[in-house]
Amino acid sequence: MDRAGEDGKQEPHLVLAHKLFLLSHPDVDDLAKVDLRADFLAAVKSDDMAALYESLAADGVLEMDAALLAEMRARIDEEIRKLDEKIADAEENLGESEVREAHLAKSLYFIRVGEKEKALEQLKVTEGKTVAVGQKMDLVFYTLQIGFFYMDFDLISKSIDKAKNLFEEGGDWERKNRLKVYEGLYCMATRNFKKAASLFLDSISTFTTYELFTYDTFIFYTVITSVISLDRVSLKQKVVDAPEILAVIGKVPHLSEFLNSLYNCQYKSFFIAFSGLTEQIKLDRYLQPHFRYYMREVRTVVYSQFLESYKSVTMEAMAAAFGVTVDFIDQELSRFIAAGKLHCKIDKVAGVLETNRPDARNAFYQATIKQGDFLLNRIQKLSRVIDL
C-alpha cells in the first residue's frame, strides 16, 4: 500500500478488496466471477499475499495449491531477511533518517503481502523512529488503508482520533483535507450519512485522496449522502449548483437525473433514475450493507417533498406523479406512516391522503410534559426507597 494516490491511482489493495467483495456477492453472475477470480488470484500471486490466499482457500473462495503457498512463504521469508539486514546496517552505519526509512520499507512490505498484525506492529515501530508530524500522519493513513481493506471499523475509528490529535501538534492543510475524506468514508460505511455528506462537501474543491477512490466515485458518494441529509435549499446551494459536481456528475450513469429530477419535482423521472442507481449502490462494498436502509430513506425524502405541497391529495394523483399504481402507493405510504416517517393519513374510502404536519412547538411542549412526568415518577420511587 504505497502512496498510490499521489499519482492519481487507486490503492491496488483497495481495488483487490472490491474484487473480493464482488466475488462473494450473489448478484454478480458466475461468468463475471470467473474473470474476477482470475484477476484476484493473479494479484495475490504478484504480491505474495500468502496469509490471504490461505484464508480464502480455507473458505473455498480459491483453490488451495500447497506448492504455490510454500513458494510465496519462502519469498516472504527471504525478503524479510533482506529488510532486517538493511535495518541492521542502517542502525550501525547510517543516520536516524535512514533507520526510519528502513523500518518503513519493512512496514510497507508487510502491508503489501497482507500480514495485517505484523504490518500494524511494524508501523508502531516506525512511528517510534519518526519525529515530523507530517510523516506520522502518513503512517496513520497507511493504517487507515489497512482498516478499509479489512473493514476494521474499530481500527479506523481509533486511527481517525489519533490523526486529529496529531493535527493539534501541527500538520499541513493537504493532509487535513485528505483526513476529511477518510473520515467521510468511515461515516458513510457506518451509516452516519449526515456527517459523511458534510465532510465530503467540505472536500469537493480540495480532493486529492485518489488512493481511496476516483473523483467520479467521490462525487457519487457526495450526491448519494447529500440527498438524504440536506434540506431542499442546502441541496440546491451545495450540490445541484456546485460547479465541481456539475463538471463530473454526467459521467456517473443515472446520477444527474437522480439529483435533478428530485430537486425539480419530476417524480416519475426520479423513480426511473433511482432504479438505475440501485445496482451501483448494491455493488458498492461500503454502501451495500445499508442498501435497504438507504432505499427507505430516499423514498421518505421524496414522498415527504411531494406531500409538503398539499393539505390533501388523491392517491390517484400521487400514483400518476410517480408513475406507479394506486395499490403500490397505498402499500408504500402505509408502511412509512406506521413507522412514523410520514405525517399524513389515508382516507381509503375517499381515496385521499390528508397531511397532518407536526406542530414543532406543540411537539416540544408534549415532550417536555412527558419527560417531566417521568422525572416525577423517578423522584417518587427514590423517596420511597429513602423512607425505607
Side-chain angles (χ1 to χ4, degrees):
M1 288 189 189
D2 55 1
R3 288 285 295 281
E6 289 183 344
D7 58 3
K9 293 180 182 177
Q10 190 178 0
E11 165 52 49
H13 277 42
L14 293 180
V15 176
L16 193 66
H18 182 63
K19 288 180 179 178
L20 179 57
F21 165 75
L22 294 177
L23 268 175
S24 60
H25 201 293
D27 290 351
V28 177
D29 65 70
D30 292 339
L31 194 60
K33 284 184 178 179
V34 171
D35 293 336
L36 280 169
R37 191 173 282 105
D39 291 346
F40 187 85
L41 184 58
V44 167
K45 287 179 180 178
S46 173
D47 285 341
D48 290 328
M49 302 181 76
L52 181 63
Y53 175 77
E54 191 172 18
S55 170
L56 293 175
D59 292 341
V61 178
L62 299 174
E63 290 183 15
M64 171 56 80
D65 183 337
L68 173 62
L69 182 61
E71 286 174 18
M72 288 194 288
R73 292 234 179 260
R75 285 195 292 268
I76 289 170
D77 291 341
E78 176 63 19
E79 187 63 28
I80 290 172
R81 184 186 64 76
K82 290 178 182 177
L83 289 166
D84 285 338
E85 286 177 359
K86 288 180 181 177
I87 290 171
D89 179 57
E91 288 176 341
E92 287 178 20
N93 305 311
L94 303 171
E96 291 180 0
S97 175
E98 289 79 6
V99 171
R100 180 194 176 275
E101 289 302 314
H103 278 288
L104 177 60
K106 188 175 180 182
S107 302
L108 296 180
Y109 182 72
F110 278 135
I111 294 172
R112 179 187 151 193
V113 298
E115 293 280 0
K116 179 186 176 186
E117 299 305 325
K118 290 180 181 178
L120 293 174
E121 186 179 334
Q122 187 61 34
L123 282 169
K124 286 180 182 177
V125 174
T126 307
E127 186 184 0
K129 310 287 182 182
T130 305
V131 177
V133 173
Q135 291 180 331
K136 286 184 178 181
M137 271 301 310
D138 289 338
L139 297 178
V140 175
F141 286 130
Y142 290 132
T143 307
L144 283 166
Q145 289 168 26
I146 294 172
F148 281 118
F149 180 84
Y150 292 98
M151 295 297 251
D152 184 341
F153 294 127
D154 184 53
L155 175 64
I156 295 168
S157 176
K158 288 176 180 175
S159 298
I160 289 170
D161 290 341
K162 183 177 182 178
K164 288 178 178 178
N165 290 333
L166 282 171
F167 279 136
E168 291 178 6
E169 301 174 22
D172 57 87
W173 282 106
E174 190 267 339
R175 288 185 175 93
K176 285 183 180 179
N177 289 327
R178 285 177 64 207
L179 182 64
K180 283 183 182 180
V181 180
Y182 277 85
E183 188 178 3
L185 181 58
Y186 165 71
C187 289
M188 186 182 76
T190 53
R191 203 179 284 184
N192 188 349
F193 289 112
K194 191 177 183 70
K195 188 172 182 182
S198 175
L199 289 163
F200 286 153
L201 288 167
D202 282 349
S203 309
I204 281 183
S205 58
T206 57
F207 179 84
T208 56
T209 323
Y210 295 101
E211 66 270 20
L212 288 182
F213 35 65
T214 64
Y215 191 64
D216 292 1
T217 302
F218 172 67
I219 293 300
F220 170 69
Y221 289 153
T222 303
V223 173
I224 287 290
T225 53
S226 296
V227 160
I228 62 170
S229 304
L230 302 182
D231 59 61
R232 187 172 165 77
V233 175
S234 299
L235 190 69
K236 173 72 169 171
Q237 292 174 343
K238 297 179 179 180
V239 183
V240 176
D241 290 342
E244 296 88 353
I245 291 177
L246 287 170
V248 174
I249 195 169
K251 298 179 183 178
V252 183
H254 308 292
L255 191 61
S256 178
E257 297 87 347
F258 173 74
L259 175 64
N260 291 303
S261 59
L262 173 65
Y263 183 76
N264 295 324
C265 305
Q266 297 166 341
Y267 300 112
K268 193 181 293 187
S269 301
F270 172 81
F271 260 32
I272 294 169
F274 185 37
S275 64
L277 271 182
T278 53
E279 191 71 10
Q280 197 168 342
I281 296 169
K282 203 184 290 185
L283 295 178
D284 187 283
R285 70 189 290 255
Y286 303 110
L287 288 170
Q288 189 270 339
H290 316 295
F291 176 71
R292 291 172 67 85
Y293 171 83
Y294 187 80
M295 293 284 284
R296 286 196 303 270
E297 289 301 303
V298 168
R299 280 157 33 223
T300 301
V301 168
V302 73
Y303 293 148
S304 297
Q305 180 174 293
F306 177 85
L307 293 169
E308 191 74 25
S309 307
Y310 300 94
K311 186 167 179 62
S312 66
V313 62
T314 65
M315 301 272 283
E316 194 174 337
M318 187 171 182
F322 283 90
V324 295
T325 65
V326 173
D327 287 341
F328 177 82
I329 283 291
D330 184 19
Q331 290 174 6
E332 279 276 273
L333 297 187
S334 297
R335 286 199 297 269
F336 285 107
I337 292 168
K341 294 281 189 179
L342 293 176
H343 302 287
C344 62
K345 58 184 180 180
I346 300 173
D347 184 341
K348 187 75 173 175
V349 176
V352 171
L353 280 164
E354 295 180 5
T355 59
N356 50 355
R357 297 183 191 87
D359 182 341
R361 182 179 294 181
N362 188 46
F364 179 71
Y365 173 76
Q366 294 295 334
T368 305
I369 294 295
K370 190 174 181 180
Q371 289 170 357
D373 287 343
F374 177 72
L375 180 62
L376 285 172
N377 288 335
R378 293 293 297 272
I379 291 171
Q380 286 171 354
K381 287 179 182 177
L382 184 61
S383 65
R384 285 198 292 272
V385 172
I386 292 170
D387 288 342
L388 290 172

